[in-house]
Amino acid sequence: MIYLVSIAAAFLCIYLVKLVLRREPEPLNGHYAVPGRFHTLKKLVFLCLYYYRLFRARNHATSSADQERRKMGLGRLKVDIPKEKSVGGGLAKSSRSSEEEMESVQELIKDPNAIDSVYFMGFTQTDETFLIVRVCRKQNGLCEMWVLLRVDGIGCFQHPIHPETNYSLDNTNTWSGGGLKLECLEPHRRWRIFFNGLLRKGPYRDKWTEEEGELLHVKMAFIWTSFSTVFNFDTDIHPSAIAESIAKEKWSSKFFTDLQKYNDQQTHYEQWGQFVGEIEIEGYERKELLLCGLRDHSYGVRNWAHMYRYVLILAHFENGLSVNLLALSISATTTNMKIGFVMFPDGRKAGIDWSDISLADMADDEIIGDLYRVSFTAANQLFNLQVSIDKSASPVMYGGLKWESRIHECVATYRLDLTVRGWGIIEFHYRNESGRQAPDSVAAERPQEPEVPNWSRLVLPLSDEACQCTALVGGKGAQLAQLTEMRKRFGMQFTVPAGLCVTTTALEHHMKMNRHLQQAVVEISDVACTRKTGNLCELCERCVELFRNTRLAPAIESAIHDQLTELNLLGTGDRLAVRSSAIGEDTEDSSAAGQLSTELGLKDFEQVCDAVQKCWASLYSFQAVQYRRQRGQPVPSNMGVVIQQMVEAQTAGVLFTCDPVTGHLGRMIINANYGLGESVVHGDAEPDTITLSCSLKGQCHILKKEVGTKQMHVRQAGEGGVRVEYTLVSDASKCCLAENMILRLGQVAFQVQKMYRTPRDIEWAIKGARIYLLQARPITTFDTVSEFELMHEFDSALATDYEWMTTSNIGEMMPGAVTPLTMSIFVRAIEYALQELSMKAGGIPCFSPYNQKYVGICCSHLFFNLMSLNANMEQNNLITNKKTNDIGLLGRVLNELSLHDIVLIYGKSPLWKRVVNAITFIQYLRTAGPQANMLMKKMTTYQIQPASNAQEYYYNMDMQLPDYFEAWATSVLKSSSSGMWNVLLVSVLSGGKTEWTSELLADVAILYSTCSDIVSADIPVCVEAIAEAIRAQSKSAEFLKLDSEAAISWLLSQESGETGEKFQNFLQKHGFRCLREAELHERSWRNDPKKILPAIQAILQSSKPPVKKAAWCPEEAIGSLKSKVTWIGKIMLRLLLPKARKAVADRELMKAEVMKMNDIFKTAYWKLANLMVQEGYLPDEDLLFFLTHSEIGQVFQQRSATMITRAQLRRKLLRKQLDLRFKEMNISKPQPIEQGQSETTRAKITLKGMTVSQGVVKGTARVVKSILEAACIQEGDILITTSTDIGWSPYFPLLKGMVTEIGGLLSHGAVVAREYGMPCIVSCRNATSQLASGNTVILNGTKGTVQKIDEN
C-alpha cells in the first residue's frame, strides 16, 4: 500500500513540475486568452468561490411569502419603492431586490461612463420586416439612441443622425430621445415602444455625412409582451462558463480588483417576447405588425474603450426556442469569455456551459462573412447553429462620445440542427481606432425648473428665476418665464412682453383671509366627489360669483401695484393682459385650454385687480371643475395669474412645431389673422394656414399657403378691452403674413422646440418687425393611444406560431371580453392555478411568473392554450391522457393536434420520469380534499380588512390577494381530482377502447343523470319556487306590471310574505353568483337583485309545470346502459359511480366556494371604487374596472390624468370588444371573425355535437348569443347558444332542450340539463350561425345531433 502511495506521489510531483516548467501559451491573435498551465485547478477554485457566493446570496434572498406574492404578479404599492443607488451585482448576486426597481429608470452613478440602457429587437417570421430601437441614458442630458427599421415591400429606414448615436435626452427621468420613447407598463410583462419623427429611407450608412437624404415621417407604436422568464446575467450565467473564462486569464491582485469592479458596476438582463403594433410611413398605407424579439436592460458603468471585441448572437426559432450566445473580450478582465442562455418554450432557462464560438475566427480581421457555424451546450443538450447574414441589412453604429465603439448590427437567419428555422441578429463589436468623424455631440440646454423656494412671495416678475417654477406660478407663467430666460441667455430672435406672475401663494393667502371662499370650495368638492348631494353646476356658479365679488386682500393689491410700477407698466398708456396660469395647465398630461379666464386690453389698476379675481373665479367654473374631476385630479386646485404688457399686434396666431394631426416633425403649421390672436385661438374666423417644411438643421421652406376668409379680426378697443372688426375684402383676399416673416417665425419656433426638446403649440404676435411669443405649451395630441393599441394592449405573447388557442371551456366560464381589472386578477389567478397543477403533473418544470402559458388573451377575450394544457399528458405522465383531456375541454377528441406535435415543442420525459410525475401528481390530487375543507372553513368568516381611506383599503386588498389566488388553485385542483373519477368511469365503460362513440357518451350521460346535492342545479329550483309563491299569492299579473325598482322593493319588503322570504333566502344562498360571475365588473345578484327579475317574470308568464325528474340509483343507471359491459366492469361501475357522482357535486360545491371568494373581492373593488370617487381619485366608480390592479396603485402614487383618460378610452372600446367573435380553434394568434363571416356555410341542416343529456325533442330554435338577449326565450324553446354559465340557470325551467357551441361532459350546462332531464348536446360547432331563431329543429340528445327541418 505504501508502495502504491509513493508511486502516486511521485507521479503527482512529476505532473506539478511539468506544469511549472511548461510555458504559458500565447493568446490567440494576440488578444484572446487560452487555457494555461493551472487552468483546471484555477477553474475548480473559482467554482468553489462562486458556489459559496451563490449560497450566501440565496440566504439573503427575500422571504418565500414575498416571492410568492411577486410571482403572482402583485405589487407592494402602499409606499413608493425606494431607489437603490448602488449597482453591486454580478457573480451570483443580484443588484436589485425587486422587479419594480429593476425595471424603473435608474439613477446614474457618478461616473462619466454611467449608463441606463434599454434595447429592443424584433422581426417577423413571414417576411423581411425588422425593428431595432435603443435608448441609453448617459450623463449630462445625453443618450445613445438607435432607430433601425426595415418594412417588407417599402424599404430600409434609420434615424437621420445615424451612424452617430449620441443625442439629447428628451427627459432625464425617461428613456426618450430623438422622437423615440420606451416605457415600462408592467415590470417584466409589458413595455410600450413609441416613435414619432423623421427617418432616412435608403441603404444603411456606415459613415457619417451631413447630407440628410430622403427623410420620411414615421409614426409607430408597439406593445411588447414577454413570453419568457428573465435571464439575469448577474445570477443566471452558467458557473462552468464563467469559471472557464476566468481560469484562462493570468491571475493577479489587479486582475481580481478589476474583475470585482467590473461586476459591481454593471447589471444586465434579457427577456424574449412579442410585439403587436402599427406603423404609419409617409406616403404608404398603415400597417399592422406582429413581431417576435428580445428586450435588454443594462445599467451601471460601460466604458467602450475597455471593450475590445464581442460577437453577440440573438436568435428565436420556430419551435419557440430562444438563444443568446456572447463571445466577449474585455481587455482588463476576461479576454475570451463565452456565455449565454437558452430559453425553452416550456418556461425553462438554461445557461450555456460550453461553446466553440471563437472571436479569433469570426471576422477578427473586420471582414464579416456571409455564413458562420457554431455549436454550444445547455441543459445537457448539444445545439448546432448555422448563421446566414443579410448584408443588405447590416447597419453600422458608433458608440461613445468619441466613437470608441463600432457595432455592426447584422440581421440574420438561422438554422438549428439544420432543420429548425430561426430569425434574429448577430452583432459584431470592434474598438474604433479612427475616432469621432462627426461634430461633437452636446446636449441642447433645456429649461430646468428651479426647486420651490422656502420663502413665499405674492408676485414675481417674469425675469425672476423662481418664476420658472410651475408649482409657484402655474404652467403658463413658468413657460413665459422660461422663454424670457431663453431670449436673455441665447439671444433668440423673439420678445416676451414684460410682465409678472401673481403666485399661488397669493391665492392661498386670499382664501385664508376669506373663509367663505374656503367653505364654497369645500362644498363643491364634497358634491363633485359624491360625499354630499347637490347641484354641482349651481354651486360652481355661486362660487364663481363669490370670487368675483371678493376684493383682493390689501397685501396682494399692494404687491401687484408695486411690481407693475417697478416694471413701468402703470400710467404709460400701455394696455395689459391678465391670463390664468393654473397648476397642471399646459402640461404634457393636460392642457385645460379655453376653460380659464383671460382678460385683455385693461387700462388701469382697478381693472387689473378685477381681472385677477375673475381668473381665480374661473378655477371653479363648472367646466373647469368637471375637467379636473373627469381626469381624477383634486377639485381644490391652485393658480398663478400672469399680468403682461399687451401687444397691439398687427398679425397674430398660433404655430404648431409639428403637424398636430399626424405628428409630422418635418412640418410646421401656422394659423394667422390680422389683429390680436383671439380670433384664431377661439376659432371665430377662418385664418390663413401656412405649412412649412423644416429640416433637421432648422432650414424652413414654405410648402403651402391656404388663404382663409378672415371675415373678422380682433383689435384693442379705445375704451378698454377688445372689439371685433370686419376685415376689408382686399386684405382678406391675401395672406396676412409676408414670406420673410413666415420664415422668421419658423426659425423662432425651431429654436424653441430645440430648447424644450418636445413639439410646441406657440401663440405669437407681430408688431412692426418684432416677433412676440405669448405662450409655448406642449402639444399633447399625437402621443395618444390608438384604438388598435387599446384593442391589443393586453394580448398575451406566443413563443411559437404552432400554439393552438381555443375558446372552449374558458369561453363558457368567461364569455366575451373582460375588463382590465379582471385580466389582472382573475385571469392571473387561473394561470397561476394551471401552472401549479401542470408543474405537479410534470407538464412544465418551473413556474413562469410573467407569462400567460395557459390562459391566452386577444382583444380582451380569453382562450385556453391547448399545447400547454396537453404538455402534461401521457408523454410526461403515466396517468393522464390527451383524449380524455380533449373530451373534458372540447367535447371531442382533437385529432388535428397530435401528441407528436406537442412533443416537438415541449419534449417528452423518459419512462422513469413519467412514473415519478404520476406519483407526484397522485399525491398532489390527494391534497384536494383537505385543501377544499380548509377553504370552506376560511370562507365562513372571510372578509377584506377594513380601512379608513381608499389607499389603505387598496393595500389591505393587495395583501389579501394571495388568498384569492390560492382559492382558485384549490378549485382547479378539486376539479382535476374530480375529473380523475370521470376518467376511471369512462375507461371502465369503454372497456379500454380508444374511440369514444356517441352511444358511449350517451351511456355516460345516463350514469351522471342523477347527481345529488348539485349546488348550481338548485338555482333554477329556487327561482321556480319564488315564481310559484307569487302565483300562490295571486300577485302574478300585478308583479309583471311593476318596474324593476318597484318589484325588488316589494320582494324585499314584509308585504311580500312567503315570496319575500323565499327571495331573500335565494339571495342568502346564491346571491354571490350572476352571469359572467368571474368578471369583477359584473355585480352579483345580491348586490344587484334586478338581474334576476327577467327570469322570474319569464317563469310567471310560462304555464309549464315544475320539472319532476325521476332519480336513478346506480343499479338502475347501470342496468339501462346500451354499451356492452362485462360483469367485472359492472362491479367496478357500482364501486366507481357513487364516487364519480359525488365528485361532480364536490366540484360544483368548490366552484361555489371560490365564487364566494370572488364576490368578496368583487364587492371590495366596488367599495374601493366608491372610496376613490369620494376622495377624488376617480370620476365615477365604474371606471375602476378599466384599470389593472397595479395601475390602481399607480393612481394613488402618481395621480396621473393620462392613466384616467386611458381607462375612459378602454371603457368606450369594451362594447366593440364584446361584439367580437372568434373561431373555436385558432392556430397561433387568434384573429376576430369579420362580421357576416361564419366558419362554415349554412348549407348543412344536421349538426353534430357531444351528448351530455339524453332524449329527443322537437321544438322552436331560439338562438341567443348573449344573456342580454335572454328575455326573448319562450316556454318550450330549444336554446341554441355559444355557452352557458351560472347566470343562465334561472331560464332552464322554460327550455325543452339546449345546444351549446362549446362545453364538455361536466360543464355547467351539461350538469344542470341532466338534473332537469332535458336533452342537451355541447361542442356543436357553428350552431349559432347555422341555425336561426324560429327554425323548427329536432334535438336528439342520444345521438348528439340537432337537425333543422322544414315544417311544410
Side-chain angles (χ1 to χ4, degrees):
M1 188 65 181
I2 296 174
Y3 178 73
L4 292 175
V5 171
S6 300
I7 293 175
F11 274 110
L12 179 60
C13 290
I14 294 170
Y15 175 72
L16 291 175
V17 170
K18 185 178 178 181
L19 284 179
V20 171
L21 296 176
R22 178 183 164 191
R23 292 182 60 188
E24 288 286 356
E26 293 296 321
L28 293 174
N29 291 0
H31 291 286
Y32 313 115
V34 294
R37 292 178 295 180
F38 299 100
H39 174 265
T40 303
L41 181 61
K42 290 195 291 185
K43 184 175 179 179
L44 289 173
V45 170
F46 184 82
L47 281 172
C48 292
L49 293 173
Y50 185 92
Y51 281 116
Y52 174 71
R53 183 178 170 97
L54 182 63
F55 174 77
R56 291 190 60 188
R58 286 178 177 172
N59 282 348
H60 290 88
T62 53
S63 68
S64 59
D66 199 24
Q67 290 175 343
E68 193 73 6
R69 293 183 69 249
R70 205 162 292 152
K71 78 179 182 181
M72 292 175 182
L74 308 179
R76 44 170 200 184
L77 295 167
K78 186 175 183 180
V79 294
D80 289 341
I81 299 164
K83 286 284 184 183
E84 302 178 33
K85 296 183 180 180
S86 62
V87 180
L91 298 179
K93 179 184 175 185
S94 179
S95 66
R96 294 291 183 262
S97 59
S98 73
E99 60 219 27
E100 296 89 356
E101 179 60 19
M102 286 178 73
E103 293 281 77
S104 64
V105 174
Q106 303 294 313
E107 184 173 339
L108 295 176
I109 300 171
K110 291 182 179 179
D111 187 292
N113 296 302
I115 64 158
D116 177 18
S117 171
V118 175
Y119 165 96
F120 284 90
M121 175 273 294
F123 48 83
T124 60
Q125 299 181 13
T126 55
D127 56 35
E128 295 186 341
T129 299
F130 74 85
L131 170 70
I132 298 171
V133 294
R134 174 175 179 253
V135 175
C136 176
R137 297 172 54 250
K138 301 174 75 174
Q139 299 284 15
N140 304 317
L142 285 172
C143 70
E144 287 181 13
M145 178 271 306
W146 296 10
V147 181
L148 301 168
L149 172 69
R150 182 171 68 183
V151 180
D152 191 59
I154 298 178
C156 297
F157 297 85
Q158 64 182 154
H159 200 278
I161 70 167
H162 292 340
E164 161 75 301
T165 60
N166 292 285
Y167 206 83
S168 296
L169 271 171
D170 289 345
N171 188 315
T172 55
N173 295 318
T174 62
W175 292 285
S176 61
L180 175 65
K181 182 178 181 181
L182 310 178
E183 179 185 8
C184 178
L185 301 178
E186 199 170 1
H188 296 327
R189 288 179 180 270
R190 295 186 304 122
W191 281 68
R192 182 173 187 252
I193 299 105
F194 177 79
F195 177 79
N196 180 65
L198 300 177
L199 293 182
R200 181 173 57 240
K201 184 184 179 187
Y204 296 114
R205 295 180 180 177
D206 58 2
K207 294 181 180 179
W208 186 86
T209 172
E210 291 191 1
E211 183 184 348
E212 290 183 348
E214 182 186 2
L215 299 183
L216 296 182
H217 175 241
V218 177
K219 183 177 179 180
M220 55 186 172
F222 290 92
I223 299 293
W224 178 91
T225 305
S226 66
F227 58 63
S228 82
T229 189
V230 175
F231 189 90
N232 189 340
F233 283 81
D234 281 351
T235 58
D236 297 332
I237 298 176
H238 198 285
S240 179
I242 195 168
E244 174 74 17
S245 302
I246 291 174
K248 293 176 186 176
E249 305 298 331
K250 293 181 180 180
W251 286 9
S252 65
S253 59
K254 183 180 184 304
F255 169 77
F256 282 105
T257 301
D258 291 342
L259 182 66
Q260 184 66 46
K261 181 180 178 182
Y262 179 82
N263 282 283
D264 282 349
Q265 286 186 338
Q266 181 167 295
T267 284
H268 172 209
Y269 59 90
E270 295 181 348
Q271 205 174 8
W272 286 85
Q274 195 170 52
F275 305 71
V276 60
E278 55 185 350
I279 183 168
E280 298 175 48
I281 300 175
E282 183 181 354
Y284 297 90
E285 292 291 325
R286 183 181 67 89
K287 295 192 71 167
E288 297 173 2
L289 294 174
L290 184 66
L291 310 176
C292 176
L294 170 133
R295 174 181 69 92
D296 173 288
H297 186 193
S298 304
Y299 52 87
V301 175
R302 178 180 293 163
N303 189 339
W304 285 117
H306 293 167
M307 194 83 67
Y308 178 69
R309 264 206 73 197
Y310 70 72
V311 174
L312 172 64
I313 289 174
L314 298 174
H316 182 75
F317 297 90
E318 57 186 333
N319 63 354
L321 197 79
S322 303
V323 171
N324 170 306
L325 177 58
L326 172 66
L328 172 66
S329 178
I330 302 172
S331 302
T333 55
T334 50
T335 60
N336 194 4
M337 176 180 278
K338 303 171 185 180
I339 55 175
F341 64 85
V342 176
M343 293 287 187
F344 294 90
D346 61 5
R348 285 178 297 153
K349 62 181 176 183
I352 291 173
D353 52 17
W354 169 87
S355 175
D356 65 358
I357 189 172
S358 172
L359 287 171
D361 298 331
M362 293 190 74
D364 201 39
D365 56 1
E366 303 190 21
I367 300 174
I368 298 173
D370 296 326
L371 184 69
Y372 292 99
R373 290 183 176 88
V374 296
S375 299
F376 57 90
T377 56
N380 299 317
Q381 296 182 50
L382 173 65
F383 299 91
N384 297 301
L385 202 60
Q386 178 178 291
V387 188
S388 300
I389 296 175
D390 183 351
K391 289 295 185 67
S392 67
S394 301
V396 175
M397 314 294 282
Y398 292 94
L401 287 175
K402 297 180 180 179
W403 283 20
E404 299 92 334
S405 161
R406 185 175 79 256
I407 296 173
H408 297 255
E409 195 81 354
C410 304
V411 175
T413 55
Y414 292 87
R415 286 282 177 172
L416 183 64
D417 298 328
L418 298 179
T419 57
V420 185
R421 295 178 302 158
W423 302 264
I425 63 108
I426 179 169
E427 191 172 288
F428 294 86
H429 167 272
Y430 298 95
R431 184 179 291 169
N432 184 40
E433 306 292 351
S434 59
R436 184 177 185 85
Q437 303 298 313
D440 287 344
S441 228
V442 180
E445 288 195 47
R446 182 176 183 173
Q448 297 295 322
E449 260 195 41
E451 294 183 3
V452 181
N454 54 13
W455 45 259
S456 57
R457 288 167 58 182
L458 301 177
V459 298
L460 287 169
L462 292 177
S463 58
D464 194 308
E465 183 184 1
C467 198
Q468 298 178 44
C469 178
T470 303
L472 204 57
V473 298
K476 188 178 298 175
Q479 288 165 15
L480 285 168
Q482 290 163 5
L483 289 171
T484 302
E485 178 67 14
M486 284 183 203
R487 181 182 181 277
K488 184 172 69 174
R489 288 184 62 188
F490 304 108
M492 293 184 178
Q493 301 302 306
F494 64 83
T495 302
V496 178
L500 61 91
C501 286
V502 181
T503 65
T504 54
T505 304
L507 177 54
E508 293 168 357
H509 177 74
H510 184 65
M511 294 188 68
K512 185 177 180 181
M513 300 298 293
N514 298 278
R515 294 188 62 83
H516 62 286
L517 296 178
Q518 297 178 44
Q519 292 169 356
V521 171
V522 168
E523 195 170 1
I524 287 175
S525 182
D526 285 343
V527 172
C529 297
T530 70
R531 294 189 291 267
K532 290 182 180 178
T533 57
N535 188 315
L536 183 61
C537 186
E538 291 180 359
L539 289 172
C540 289
E541 289 175 359
R542 175 175 168 269
C543 186
V544 167
E545 284 303 309
L546 284 175
F547 267 98
R548 285 182 173 179
N549 296 327
T550 302
R551 187 178 177 88
L552 294 183
I556 299 173
E557 281 194 0
S558 177
I560 295 173
H561 187 277
D562 292 348
Q563 191 63 61
L564 286 172
T565 302
E566 184 179 331
L567 293 171
N568 200 27
L569 294 178
L570 284 180
T572 61
D574 287 332
R575 303 295 174 85
L576 297 176
V578 176
R579 291 184 171 93
S580 304
S581 178
I583 301 296
E585 180 188 9
D586 295 339
T587 64
E588 293 183 9
D589 278 349
S590 60
S591 67
Q595 297 175 12
L596 305 175
S597 181
T598 294
E599 302 295 322
L600 302 176
L602 307 180
K603 295 177 64 177
D604 55 42
F605 180 68
E606 287 299 322
Q607 289 181 342
V608 169
C609 291
D610 183 60
V612 172
Q613 292 168 222
K614 289 179 180 178
C615 287
W616 284 344
S618 68
L619 191 60
Y620 293 100
S621 67
F622 179 70
Q623 65 180 37
V625 168
Q626 281 290 78
Y627 182 85
R628 293 196 296 277
R629 193 180 73 84
Q630 288 296 325
R631 283 155 182 77
Q633 304 305 297
V635 171
S637 189
N638 213 332
M639 174 189 280
V641 178
V642 176
I643 305 173
Q644 270 183 298
Q645 180 184 25
M646 189 168 171
V647 179
E648 192 172 357
Q650 296 159 333
T651 311
V654 176
L655 185 152
F656 298 95
T657 63
C658 74
D659 189 314
V661 178
T662 66
H664 196 317
L665 288 174
R667 300 288 181 268
M668 290 186 180
I669 309 297
I670 300 175
N671 294 139
N673 195 5
Y674 297 109
L676 305 180
E678 298 306 294
S679 64
V680 178
V681 173
H682 294 152
D684 296 329
E686 182 189 352
D688 294 335
T689 301
I690 300 108
T691 303
L692 299 177
S693 69
C694 184
S695 73
L696 299 174
K697 298 177 182 178
Q699 296 170 338
C700 296
H701 300 280
I702 299 172
L703 291 179
K704 184 170 55 174
K705 287 194 288 188
E706 299 173 75
V707 178
T709 58
K710 303 188 294 295
Q711 292 178 338
M712 48 77 66
H713 59 273
V714 178
R715 298 281 188 189
Q716 291 184 16
E719 65 279 7
V722 296
R723 69 176 185 273
V724 175
E725 295 181 356
Y726 288 99
T727 307
L728 294 174
V729 175
S730 58
D731 290 337
S733 63
K734 61 185 180 182
C735 184
C736 62
L737 278 174
E739 289 198 0
N740 67 322
M741 190 57 73
I742 292 172
L743 296 177
R744 282 185 59 197
L745 268 174
Q747 289 291 324
V748 166
F750 178 80
Q751 292 174 340
V752 171
Q753 176 178 267
K754 186 176 180 181
M755 293 298 295
Y756 278 109
R757 304 183 197 172
T758 56
R760 293 279 136 173
D761 168 2
I762 299 172
E763 290 184 27
W764 53 270
I766 294 174
K767 182 179 180 182
R770 183 169 290 185
I771 296 174
Y772 292 87
L773 297 192
L774 310 178
Q775 189 163 317
R777 66 167 72 94
I779 299 176
T780 60
T781 54
F782 64 83
D783 193 15
T784 54
V785 293
S786 66
E787 182 179 291
F788 179 87
E789 184 176 338
L790 289 170
M791 182 71 77
H792 295 280
E793 64 176 327
F794 294 108
D795 287 7
S796 50
L798 301 179
T800 170
D801 286 341
Y802 300 126
E803 305 279 11
W804 283 63
M805 311 297 288
T806 181
T807 57
S808 289
N809 194 280
I810 189 76
E812 179 186 14
M813 181 192 301
M814 182 65 80
V818 298
T819 59
L821 182 60
T822 300
M823 276 186 273
S824 67
I825 299 301
F826 164 73
V827 174
R828 290 193 186 169
I830 296 297
E831 176 69 27
Y832 166 73
L834 290 173
Q835 287 200 32
E836 186 80 15
L837 184 74
S838 188
M839 279 196 294
K840 300 296 184 182
I844 56 174
C846 58
F847 197 86
S848 297
Y850 311 118
N851 317 128
Q852 300 292 132
K853 293 289 186 185
Y854 292 86
V855 185
I857 302 170
C858 181
C859 302
S860 297
H861 287 247
L862 305 185
F863 303 81
F864 271 147
N865 188 325
L866 289 177
M867 290 288 281
S868 298
L869 287 170
N870 282 308
N872 55 352
M873 294 301 113
E874 57 261 45
Q875 75 276 20
N876 286 316
N877 193 310
L878 286 181
I879 65 169
T880 53
N881 181 271
K882 177 184 178 294
K883 289 186 177 181
T884 306
N885 191 51
D886 285 352
I887 290 290
L889 283 174
L890 313 175
R892 69 184 190 282
V893 177
L894 186 65
N895 292 315
E896 298 93 326
L897 176 61
S898 68
L899 272 179
H900 176 72
D901 298 329
I902 299 165
V903 169
L904 285 176
I905 304 299
Y906 285 94
K908 181 180 180 180
S909 298
L911 178 61
W912 70 267
K913 183 65 174 176
R914 281 180 277 164
V915 172
V916 171
N917 289 340
I919 295 171
T920 304
F921 192 44
I922 291 171
Q923 291 175 336
Y924 181 59
L925 292 177
R926 290 183 63 188
T927 66
Q931 288 193 38
N933 293 334
M934 288 173 60
L935 177 61
M936 293 174 68
K937 183 178 179 181
K938 177 189 285 187
M939 291 309 300
T940 57
T941 58
Y942 193 81
Q943 63 175 355
I944 303 298
Q945 293 302 308
S948 59
N949 58 63
Q951 188 167 358
E952 186 178 346
Y953 193 62
Y954 169 79
Y955 177 71
N956 290 346
M957 293 180 67
D958 187 67
M959 293 298 292
Q960 291 181 241
L961 270 174
D963 296 334
Y964 180 88
F965 277 59
E966 291 301 335
W968 277 106
T970 301
S971 177
V972 169
L973 171 60
K974 190 63 179 174
S975 293
S976 298
S977 176
S978 301
M980 293 306 294
W981 290 108
N982 179 58
V983 171
L984 293 171
L985 188 73
V986 175
S987 297
V988 171
L989 189 61
S990 65
K993 296 178 182 178
T994 57
E995 295 297 325
W996 291 7
T997 63
S998 57
E999 290 77 13
L1000 175 67
L1001 295 175
D1003 281 343
V1004 174
I1006 289 174
L1007 294 176
Y1008 281 119
S1009 61
T1010 302
C1011 294
S1012 58
D1013 301 323
I1014 300 292
V1015 175
S1016 55
D1018 185 54
I1019 294 174
V1021 173
C1022 291
V1023 175
E1024 281 188 293
I1026 294 168
E1028 286 301 312
I1030 294 173
R1031 289 193 184 107
Q1033 292 180 255
S1034 302
K1035 293 279 189 180
S1036 297
E1038 183 180 342
F1039 185 82
L1040 289 171
K1041 293 178 182 177
L1042 295 176
D1043 61 35
S1044 58
E1045 293 290 343
I1048 293 298
S1049 179
W1050 179 75
L1051 286 171
L1052 295 175
S1053 69
Q1054 293 184 349
E1055 297 176 10
S1056 57
E1058 183 183 357
T1059 301
E1061 289 181 16
K1062 289 182 181 293
F1063 184 71
Q1064 292 186 48
N1065 287 338
F1066 170 80
L1067 293 181
Q1068 182 68 29
K1069 193 173 182 181
H1070 301 293
F1072 56 89
R1073 311 200 80 161
C1074 66
L1075 175 75
R1076 284 166 46 90
E1077 55 188 340
E1079 168 57 68
L1080 297 171
H1081 188 230
E1082 293 285 348
R1083 290 183 184 268
S1084 61
W1085 290 328
R1086 182 184 295 131
N1087 293 321
D1088 189 5
K1090 294 192 294 293
K1091 289 184 175 182
I1092 201 68
L1093 277 180
I1096 298 173
Q1097 291 169 341
I1099 294 173
L1100 283 174
Q1101 292 172 329
S1102 167
S1103 58
K1104 183 180 178 181
V1107 176
K1108 299 286 185 181
K1109 196 196 82 166
W1112 283 16
C1113 68
E1115 285 292 341
E1116 293 172 325
I1118 294 170
S1120 64
L1121 297 176
K1122 295 182 181 179
S1123 301
K1124 293 181 180 180
V1125 185
T1126 64
W1127 65 272
I1128 296 177
K1130 288 182 179 180
I1131 293 174
M1132 295 180 69
L1133 286 176
R1134 291 189 189 98
L1135 295 173
L1136 289 173
L1137 186 55
K1139 295 182 181 294
R1141 287 180 170 182
K1142 184 177 183 302
V1144 173
D1146 288 347
R1147 189 193 75 151
E1148 291 296 307
L1149 178 62
M1150 189 48 49
K1151 186 176 180 181
E1153 291 299 314
V1154 78
M1155 282 305 166
K1156 287 180 184 177
M1157 174 71 81
N1158 193 73
D1159 190 53
I1160 288 172
F1161 274 88
K1162 183 186 297 185
T1163 304
Y1165 276 115
W1166 278 106
K1167 180 180 177 181
L1168 175 65
N1170 179 262
L1171 289 172
M1172 292 181 72
V1173 170
Q1174 290 187 23
E1175 295 176 23
Y1177 288 103
L1178 294 176
D1180 60 83
E1181 295 178 14
D1182 185 74
L1183 197 63
L1184 177 99
F1185 298 89
F1186 297 89
L1187 297 164
T1188 67
H1189 178 79
S1190 61
E1191 285 175 345
I1192 296 171
Q1194 292 171 38
V1195 167
F1196 286 120
Q1197 291 180 4
Q1198 303 167 9
R1199 203 151 195 170
S1200 167
T1202 302
M1203 192 169 289
I1204 298 299
T1205 301
R1206 194 180 188 106
Q1208 291 166 335
L1209 293 172
R1210 289 169 178 167
R1211 179 163 59 183
K1212 288 180 182 178
L1213 188 63
L1214 181 64
R1215 172 50 54 193
K1216 188 171 184 178
Q1217 291 176 321
L1218 284 167
D1219 290 338
L1220 295 177
R1221 294 291 179 267
F1222 292 85
K1223 294 180 181 179
E1224 181 198 11
M1225 291 295 164
N1226 303 268
I1227 301 177
S1228 189
K1229 187 178 180 68
Q1231 296 296 328
I1233 300 171
E1234 295 180 9
Q1235 285 191 338
Q1237 173 189 350
S1238 63
E1239 294 186 49
T1240 57
T1241 65
R1242 280 197 170 198
K1244 296 182 180 179
I1245 57 172
T1246 301
L1247 302 177
K1248 181 77 174 174
M1250 173 186 177
T1251 296
V1252 293
S1253 183
Q1254 293 198 73
V1256 180
V1257 291
K1258 175 183 175 182
T1260 302
R1262 187 66 56 194
V1263 178
V1264 182
K1265 295 184 179 181
S1266 165
I1267 191 65
L1268 300 175
E1269 306 167 9
C1272 68
I1273 295 175
Q1274 300 175 16
E1275 180 186 347
D1277 280 345
I1278 296 175
L1279 177 64
I1280 315 292
T1281 188
T1282 304
S1283 64
T1284 63
D1285 68 359
I1286 199 76
W1288 292 81
S1289 297
Y1291 293 94
F1292 276 55
L1294 299 174
L1295 302 177
K1296 188 183 284 188
M1298 184 170 65
V1299 177
T1300 68
E1301 292 182 315
I1302 59 178
L1305 193 62
L1306 300 179
S1307 61
H1308 169 263
V1311 171
V1312 178
R1314 286 194 291 266
E1315 289 303 301
Y1316 270 73
M1318 177 174 68
C1320 177
I1321 64 173
V1322 299
S1323 192
C1324 186
R1325 288 181 284 176
N1326 308 317
T1328 60
S1329 57
Q1330 298 284 342
L1331 302 173
S1333 292
N1335 290 158
T1336 301
V1337 297
I1338 296 175
L1339 171 60
N1340 190 325
T1342 304
K1343 293 184 178 179
T1345 63
V1346 57
Q1347 182 180 22
K1348 174 186 170 185
I1349 62 172
D1350 187 351
E1351 284 283 58
N1352 296 326

